Amino acid sequence: MITCIIQARMGSTRLPGKVMTKVDNKNRIIDYVVEQLKFSKTIEKTIVAIPNLVEDDVTFNHLTSKKIQTYRGSPKNVLDRYYQCAKNESSSVIVRITADCPLIDPDIVDKVIKKFIENKFDYVSNTHPRTFPYGTETEVFSFNALKTAWIETTDDFDREHVTPYFYKNPDKFKIGNVTQEKNQSNYRWTVDYKEDLELVKFIVNNISKKPILTNNIFDLINKNPDILNINKNHI
């Protein structure tokens, strides 16, 4: 099964509580991440993996009210959170998305999954090297690779960030990357700061199409180039 696991937490240091911040009148950041991914043609199940902390109860209750499947696990050992979640679901392929990406592009996600499946990779991303905008980060890996990392790494950084063990050990894993001819890595609509959130709010309030694809965002930027000034200090 191809399972998308979205990691989300309330304890962001740069923008606390951002995962539950409203983007429009009805929807929060986590809602947008989940809704965008519903348009993927290859993901079979989506789960939001959150810490088992009291501060994250609000996210759990919100997702439960929307009948969105959740898994609760280690706050700091996110690698373990992913491993236990994937194991519980008997997932053979895991798609890792973070809740920083309310405008995750399902078409890009499907491209990464397609490359993973067609070439029998252990790990594929669109970030090594990066040619896509920040906010479209997609990582796909096998359960076997995840289990290997979970067993072998003793590095706290690897455990917090889930996937570094893969690309730090190219001799152990068959690794692939998805790139595009035009380098758009100088654009940013991930949400780490309040200025990032302001840009995302402008985008969703000015694009009615669902899902909002990367090309739609660039069409909007071409008509309103000044909006890039909103979060230019964080690019």
Side-chain angles (χ1 to χ4, degrees):
M1 176 179 287
I2 300 175
T3 304
C4 179
I5 302 177
I6 305 166
Q7 68 182 72
R9 63 179 179 137
M10 288 294 287
S12 168
T13 53
R14 290 174 290 195
L15 192 60
K18 68 180 174 184
V19 67
M20 285 292 287
T21 302
K22 281 192 173 182
V23 179
D24 57 27
N25 291 331
K26 296 189 299 182
N27 298 293
R28 301 170 191 275
I29 284 180
I30 191 60
D31 298 327
Y32 266 90
V33 182
V34 173
E35 287 301 314
Q36 289 278 110
L37 290 167
K38 283 181 180 178
F39 291 91
S40 164
K41 296 178 177 65
T42 47
I43 291 171
E44 295 174 284
K45 178 179 280 191
T46 298
I47 304 171
V48 182
I50 59 178
N52 51 12
L53 298 174
V54 172
E55 67 184 27
D56 294 284
D57 286 353
V58 62
T59 308
F60 174 78
N61 293 336
H62 174 75
L63 294 169
T64 301
S65 72
K66 288 179 166 280
K67 296 182 171 53
I68 296 168
Q69 186 173 347
T70 60
Y71 174 83
R72 303 195 76 167
S74 173
K76 292 187 177 179
N77 189 346
V78 191
L79 175 60
D80 182 70
R81 199 191 314 168
Y82 265 80
Y83 173 74
Q84 300 298 344
C85 178
K87 184 180 178 182
N88 286 351
E89 296 298 324
S90 300
S91 303
S92 57
V93 178
I94 297 96
V95 182
R96 178 178 180 246
I97 303 293
T98 68
D100 305 317
C101 303
L103 298 175
I104 187 72
D105 187 325
D107 287 354
I108 294 175
V109 172
D110 284 345
K111 283 180 183 178
V112 180
I113 296 172
K114 181 180 179 183
K115 181 159 187 175
F116 174 88
I117 292 171
E118 289 184 350
N119 297 275
K120 298 182 180 179
F121 283 108
D122 297 310
Y123 170 82
V124 177
S125 76
N126 64 338
T127 58
H128 301 287
R130 179 191 297 272
T131 57
F132 292 89
Y134 284 81
T136 64
E137 292 87 344
T138 304
E139 295 176 290
V140 183
F141 41 91
S142 69
F143 178 78
N144 288 338
L146 177 64
K147 185 177 182 179
T148 299
W150 180 77
I151 291 172
E152 293 185 357
T153 186
T154 56
D155 190 315
D156 288 343
F157 182 85
D158 292 348
R159 293 195 171 276
E160 181 182 355
H161 297 281
V162 185
T163 57
Y165 191 74
F166 299 143
Y167 47 85
K168 288 196 302 187
N169 292 279
D171 55 319
K172 292 185 177 184
F173 303 101
K174 185 179 179 183
I175 295 174
N177 190 61
V178 175
T179 58
Q180 57 182 0
E181 188 174 341
K182 187 173 184 179
N183 190 341
Q184 299 173 331
S185 61
N186 58 322
Y187 293 91
R188 172 190 177 90
W189 40 82
T190 190
V191 178
D192 285 321
Y193 304 95
K194 60 183 178 66
E195 292 85 1
D196 297 329
L197 181 59
E198 289 176 24
L199 176 62
V200 168
K201 284 182 176 180
F202 183 92
I203 291 170
V204 303
N205 287 322
N206 286 275
I207 299 176
S208 57
K209 182 181 179 292
K210 302 296 180 193
I212 297 174
L213 302 177
T214 301
N215 289 340
N216 305 139
I217 298 173
F218 277 113
D219 288 342
L220 182 65
I221 290 171
N222 289 335
K223 295 173 185 174
N224 304 271
D226 289 346
I227 66 172
L228 294 178
N229 293 326
I230 295 174
N231 67 341
K232 66 179 180 180
N233 292 333
H234 301 301
I235 294 175

